[in-house]
């Protein structure tokens, strides 16, 4: 059982110990497959030995990043050895880096938002009397689920990345935004910039979607971005 903090940006922040020497807060990121630390965090960490620099690809474009080949990480009572670390520019506000669910490969991960704990199980826990199942697409180390958006009276089905690093509700891809002409049919309430892990910038518009359904659950007046 691992305690976490749900931050004001809707990120899951967890205490971790790096190389038995440095304590920091890491974001649990469902769309991450590597352990990464921000440049701001690494300025204060002396236990990392950097191996070199490589080009990496994020959703906003390419960037060069430092790489450390072998490190230890402790979260709760679990310790991993020989972990690679990548250096990135951004993580969730208030965290010094991020890790993904691949650290718990072969396990079941329970996120209890009532008690603010992550529970790691050897198998799917029993006694779950209220839950829903939904088909999951696993592709390129990322998890996708289908959702249905109602725009101007028409229903659009689209695949959505399960992305706990995103502090909003629903974010559309460029192809969907173009095909649905969503900007012409909903009220635009805000415009802002999103930055990926390596500082690449995407400008986004925000608006209110009248109806959205996901895994059989219906939502009204959902804040969406594109």
């Amino acid at each position: 059982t691992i305690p976490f903090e749900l931050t004001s940006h809707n990120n899951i922040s967890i205490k971790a110990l790096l190389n038995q020497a440095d304590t920091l807060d890491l974001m649990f990121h469902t769309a991450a497959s590597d352990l990464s630390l921000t440049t701001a965090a690494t300025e204060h960490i002396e236990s990392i030995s950097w191996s070199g620099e490589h080009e990496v690809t994020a959703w906003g474009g390419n960037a060069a990043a430092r790489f450390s080949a072998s490190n230890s990480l402790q979260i709760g009572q679990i310790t991993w050895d020989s972990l690679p670390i990548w250096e990135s520019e951004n993580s969730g506000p208030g965290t010094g880096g991020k890790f993904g669910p691949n650290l718990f490969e072969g396990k079941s991960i329970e996120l209890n938002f009532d008690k603010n704990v992550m529970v790691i199980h050897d198998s799917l826990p029993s006694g779950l009397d209220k839950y829903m199942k939904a088909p999951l697409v696993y592709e390129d180390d990322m998890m996708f689920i289908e959702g249905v958006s109602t725009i101007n009276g028409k229903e659009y089905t689209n695949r959505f990345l399960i992305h706990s690093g995103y502090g909003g509700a629903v974010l559309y891809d460029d192809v969907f935004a173009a095909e649905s002409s969503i900007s012409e049919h909903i009220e635009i309430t805000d415009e802002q910039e999103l930055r990926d892990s390596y500082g690449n910038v995407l400008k986004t518009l925000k608006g209110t979607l009248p109806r959205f359904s996901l895994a059989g659950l219906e939502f009204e007046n959902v804040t969406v971005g594109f």
Side-chain angles (χ1 to χ4, degrees), residues 31-45:
S33 57
D34 296 300
L35 172 62
S36 66
L37 300 179
T38 64
T39 52
T42 58
E43 290 178 358
H44 307 286
I45 294 176

Side-chain angles (χ1 to χ4, degrees), residues 2-15:
I2 302 167
F4 69 78
E5 176 192 355
L6 185 64
T7 72
S8 59
H9 291 83
N10 291 325
N11 298 143
I12 297 170
S13 177
I14 292 177
K15 295 286 185 185

Side-chain angles (χ1 to χ4, degrees), residues 70-144:
S70 183
N71 301 269
S72 72
L73 179 72
Q74 181 177 341
I75 296 175
Q77 299 301 313
I78 309 175
T79 300
W80 297 266
D81 294 312
S82 305
L83 282 180
I85 291 178
W86 293 91
E87 187 179 45
S88 62
E89 184 173 328
N90 297 313
S91 181
T95 64
K98 50 187 173 288
F99 68 96
N102 60 306
L103 284 183
F104 307 108
E105 186 175 0
K107 306 290 185 180
S108 291
I109 303 172
E110 173 189 349
L111 294 173
N112 188 323
F113 291 96
D114 295 320
K115 297 181 179 179
N116 279 2
V117 293
M118 172 190 287
V119 186
I120 308 302
H121 302 270
D122 288 329
S123 59
L124 190 67
S126 59
L128 299 178
D129 56 348
K130 291 183 179 181
Y131 69 95
M132 301 176 68
K133 284 185 178 181
L136 191 69
V137 178
Y138 192 72
E139 188 176 283
D140 296 330
D141 292 326
M142 293 182 287
M143 298 179 287
F144 298 85

Side-chain angles (χ1 to χ4, degrees), residues 167-187:
V170 176
L171 184 65
Y172 294 113
D173 58 86
D174 291 344
V175 173
F176 179 88
E179 291 179 348
S180 64
S181 301
I182 185 173
S183 62
E184 301 174 11
H185 300 297
I186 67 171
E187 180 185 357

